[in-house]
Amino acid sequence: MVYTTQMDAAKKGIITKQMRIVAQEENIDPDVLRQSVADGKVVIPANRNHINLAPKGVGERLRTKINVNLGVSKDCYNIDLELEKAKKAIELKAEAIMDLSCYGKTEKFRRKLIDMSPAMIGTVPMYDAVGMLDKALKDITVDEFFKVVEKHAEDGVDFMTIHCGMNQATAERIKKNKRLTNIVSRGGSLLFAWMELNNQENPFYEYYDRLLDICEKYDVTLSLGDACRPGSINDSTDPAQIEELITLGELTKRAWARNVQVMIEGPGHIALNEIAANMLLEKKLCHGAPFYVLGPLVTDIAPGYDHITSAIGGAIAAANGADFLCYVTPAEHLRLPNLDDIKEGIIATRIAAHAADIAKGIPGARDWDNQMSAARADVDFSRMIELAIDPEKARKYREESTPECEDTCTMCGKMCPMKNIKKLLNGEDLNIA
């Protein structure tokens, strides 16, 4: 039977190769997964032109996935370095990489990234429009915007962030309800500027069906961007954010009617006590579509440590229903991240995702923790290092401080409770002098 997209296949009762791979990896019944894809509760971003993709599922009953942002800018135009970052992200088991390149002719980097990456690839075509077209933002036409989108799809991009939900009504809402940090979405700010400069409606909202044509043709998952996401905890859950979310829910149903898979992007900065409510709002207003959040960052005071503020928020968000976490690095708000920043951001976000999977009761999520605990009970440092989420760092710490007794550490030494209680329970003599 012929099908156009993963969702189209799922609705027709077809279990695709990608669905079988995801079902096996997630230890879920393939037909249960197929139904979730048909219902829009799970997406499998898999552009038919991304040949070496290792497909992953994002959504209900599945492990929380993480995304890594990278890409060239005018101030840091180094394609080789960005490819090294991509390799590091893949090595550290990130499920997705977003190319946020916003300067020059980005096609060369994008195609290299897609060719070498088994991880799913996302982009924000709006970033690329100015460089690819070599025109002032104001002068870009509607046709040219869609030309850029189709080029990204043709190249093999698996999911695209498009800010379709910020229409003229939402823009007016922003003007009437003063925010502390205005619009912090880069793509959203560019669209807002284009709308204001040309006194026109958002082309991706006005000609949404044209966008769906492209997504359906290549099976691109539409990641409906949050142009009005809060850039400070002061601005979270405000009228502009909620109005845009309502619009995204309406656009989700229109996409599903065309068999286009949809994710919803969510807020970036939220106080701890608002996170659960935001997750509930998205799931309700957007009909259970997978939720993709940046962080969220739970405080605004920690530049240099925002991978921590983000991991705190990400764990709470995912435990309350978020399906996909966009990592944040220590360099957030300060500069483009380097290789060390990339690693710190990935590890922090993977910890958050795993902690949430335990809370969500994802089958097998606790197995890793139980293995680590067993190794600790046996005072088996080699096994602990092997099981660590970052074995390299665990090994380095162990080797930097050598204990008197090999089967202890320099924190407790002979007073090691794991070692001593085990000896006592086994009826052995105990000497800690």
Side-chain angles (χ1 to χ4, degrees):
M1 190 180 295
V2 177
Y3 61 88
T4 55
T5 67
Q6 294 292 319
M7 176 174 264
D8 182 38
K11 288 179 181 178
K12 290 175 176 174
I14 300 169
I15 298 174
T16 65
K17 177 182 72 174
Q18 291 84 358
M19 291 179 206
R20 291 195 185 280
I21 292 170
V22 171
Q24 183 175 10
E25 187 176 85
E26 299 279 353
N27 195 26
I28 188 172
D29 182 87
D31 200 58
V32 171
L33 177 66
R34 179 201 61 76
Q35 190 60 55
S36 292
V37 174
D39 294 339
K41 305 295 180 63
V42 167
V43 297
I44 302 177
N47 187 316
R48 62 184 86 262
N49 290 343
H50 189 174
I51 306 302
N52 65 331
L53 174 71
K56 303 291 180 183
V58 178
E60 66 174 10
R61 291 195 289 267
L62 306 183
R63 290 183 300 103
T64 306
K65 307 305 188 298
I66 76 164
N67 172 71
V68 168
N69 290 338
L70 44 79
V72 296
S73 68
K74 185 174 182 179
D75 289 314
C76 298
Y77 191 82
N78 187 331
I79 287 177
D80 290 338
L81 178 57
E82 296 309 301
L83 288 172
E84 282 300 309
K85 292 178 186 177
K87 290 174 184 175
K88 176 61 70 174
I90 293 165
E91 174 191 324
L92 293 173
K93 302 179 182 178
E95 289 88 4
I97 297 171
M98 284 200 82
D99 173 17
L100 303 188
S101 296
C102 59
Y103 176 74
K105 306 299 183 184
T106 61
E107 179 184 357
K108 179 182 177 183
F109 172 64
R110 182 171 60 252
R111 292 187 71 107
K112 281 188 174 184
L113 181 61
I114 292 166
D115 288 345
M116 60 85 72
S117 175
M120 52 186 165
I121 300 298
T123 60
V124 187
M126 192 68 195
Y127 295 176
D128 194 24
V130 175
M132 176 176 165
L133 299 168
D134 200 20
K135 294 177 71 172
L137 177 64
K138 179 180 184 297
D139 297 330
I140 297 175
T141 67
V142 171
D143 285 345
E144 287 172 331
F145 277 131
F146 283 99
K147 176 184 175 182
V148 175
V149 171
E150 179 132 26
K151 184 68 180 81
H152 282 224
E154 184 182 353
D155 286 346
V157 171
D158 302 296
F159 65 100
M160 292 186 203
T161 294
I162 312 278
H163 298 88
C164 307
M166 185 182 64
N167 53 25
Q168 287 183 322
T170 311
E172 285 303 310
R173 185 78 65 188
I174 292 170
K175 295 175 189 176
K176 290 177 182 177
N177 295 270
K178 181 63 178 173
R179 289 177 137 195
L180 187 60
T181 47
N182 297 313
I183 297 175
V184 299
S185 160
R186 195 191 320 173
S189 68
L190 291 171
L191 264 177
F192 181 88
W194 185 90
M195 292 162 65
E196 291 289 302
L197 291 169
N198 291 284
N199 192 29
Q200 289 189 48
E201 182 57 277
N202 176 351
F204 298 114
Y205 177 77
E206 186 172 5
Y207 304 104
Y208 186 61
D209 285 327
R210 189 171 173 181
L211 177 61
L212 297 180
D213 288 341
I214 296 171
C215 292
E216 184 180 21
K217 179 179 177 182
Y218 297 92
D219 197 2
V220 172
T221 296
L222 187 54
S223 191
L224 290 171
D226 51 339
C228 299
R229 74 169 182 264
S232 61
I233 59 172
N234 181 78
D235 295 343
S236 63
T237 328
D238 73 347
Q241 180 194 331
I242 301 306
E243 179 165 317
E244 183 183 35
L245 192 60
I246 293 170
T247 303
L248 295 183
E250 296 166 350
L251 295 176
T252 295
K253 283 194 167 182
R254 287 176 59 186
W256 287 348
R258 293 285 305 277
N259 296 318
V260 172
Q261 300 184 99
V262 172
M263 296 188 290
I264 306 296
E265 297 192 11
H269 294 240
I270 321 178
L272 280 170
N273 59 307
E274 294 182 34
I275 293 176
N278 269 264
M279 302 307 109
L280 178 63
L281 275 172
E282 184 278 339
K283 290 291 182 177
K284 286 283 189 181
L285 295 176
C286 297
H287 323 293
F291 201 15
Y292 174 27
V293 295
L294 175 68
L297 285 73
V298 296
T299 178
D300 301 330
I301 57 125
Y305 298 91
D306 275 328
H307 59 311
I308 297 174
T309 66
S310 170
I312 294 167
I316 296 170
N320 283 278
D323 307 287
F324 196 18
L325 303 180
C326 186
Y327 91 149
V328 171
T329 77
E332 185 79 5
H333 301 114
L334 299 171
R335 60 165 169 77
L336 199 71
N338 61 26
L339 272 170
D340 289 337
D341 300 326
I342 291 274
K343 180 178 178 179
E344 291 293 315
I346 291 172
I347 296 297
T349 310
R350 283 189 60 204
I351 292 169
H354 180 68
D357 288 347
I358 293 171
K360 286 192 283 193
I362 298 297
R366 287 177 177 264
D367 292 351
W368 187 3
D369 298 76
N370 291 341
Q371 291 175 52
M372 178 65 83
S373 296
R376 286 178 175 151
D378 290 337
V379 201
D380 185 344
F381 286 98
S382 294
R383 180 64 173 153
M384 286 184 235
I385 291 168
E386 178 187 331
L387 287 165
I389 195 167
D390 182 2
E392 181 182 7
K393 188 170 188 178
R395 184 176 296 105
K396 176 175 177 286
Y397 274 37
R398 175 70 178 162
E399 292 174 351
E400 280 179 349
S401 188
T402 306
E404 178 185 357
C405 301
E406 184 61 29
D407 57 350
T408 65
C409 76
T410 53
M411 172 68 78
C412 298
K414 288 185 177 181
M415 294 184 185
C416 173
M418 289 290 197
K419 178 181 175 181
N420 294 336
I421 295 299
K422 188 172 183 179
K423 278 188 171 184
L424 285 170
L425 293 176
N426 288 336
E428 298 177 36
D429 188 28
L430 183 63
N431 177 14
I432 58 173

